[in-house]
Amino acid sequence: MSKTTFIYAIRSRKWVKIGFTNNVKQRLSTIQTCNPTKVHLEGYVIGTNEEERQIQWVLNHTRTRGEWFQYVGFTVEIVAKIRELDTASDVLRWIKEICEKRLKECEGAN
């Protein structure tokens, strides 16, 4: 039987870490120990390591270092979906839908 794994969003000031773990509480504690400022668990969803990489790829334009991203714009929207939805596949489906919608809006503006 495989263990449930999660993709989490942990924020520290103006950055957010999008990561993968099988124990969210323990991971939050570890990150807090390594961080000089208070960190906050923004949310988590059931997901795989591959889904984590896909979400990080979408956010690559705001990557600051490793798995840390600027907490701005589309990153804030994705973190809200991580908080709201149950699975990473739901988050990725939402990302695809919103990107397609915004692309059509841009094409319609021309």
Side-chain angles (χ1 to χ4, degrees):
M1 185 170 159
S2 64
K3 193 167 189 173
T4 303
T5 55
F6 304 93
I7 297 169
Y8 61 82
I10 294 176
R11 188 170 56 86
S12 176
R13 295 188 180 185
K14 58 184 179 177
W15 300 279
V16 65
K17 184 176 190 324
I18 306 295
F20 174 80
T21 187
N22 60 17
N23 187 325
V24 175
K25 185 177 179 181
Q26 181 180 2
R27 190 66 182 125
L28 177 64
S29 178
T30 301
I31 292 169
Q32 182 59 73
T33 299
C34 300
N35 201 308
T37 62
K38 181 77 174 145
V39 298
H40 306 276
L41 178 63
E42 292 294 323
Y44 60 92
V45 292
I46 295 170
T48 66
N49 193 264
E50 177 59 31
E51 290 168 324
E52 173 213 22
R53 284 193 295 272
Q54 291 173 12
I55 293 170
Q56 289 175 344
W57 182 84
V58 170
L59 296 175
N60 202 43
H61 67 287
T62 64
R63 187 184 302 267
T64 56
R65 182 175 183 202
E67 295 182 335
W68 287 92
F69 302 85
Q70 294 173 357
Y71 191 61
V72 297
F74 197 44
T75 304
V76 174
E77 293 180 65
I78 290 175
V79 168
K81 289 300 173 182
I82 289 173
R83 185 182 312 114
E84 175 185 322
L85 300 172
D86 295 323
T87 68
S89 59
D90 291 337
V91 174
L92 289 165
R93 190 175 308 107
W94 175 83
I95 290 169
K96 182 178 185 229
E97 289 169 2
I98 197 71
C99 287
E100 288 172 351
K101 178 183 175 200
R102 290 178 181 175
L103 182 60
K104 285 180 184 176
E105 288 171 357
C106 288
E107 291 170 347
N110 290 330

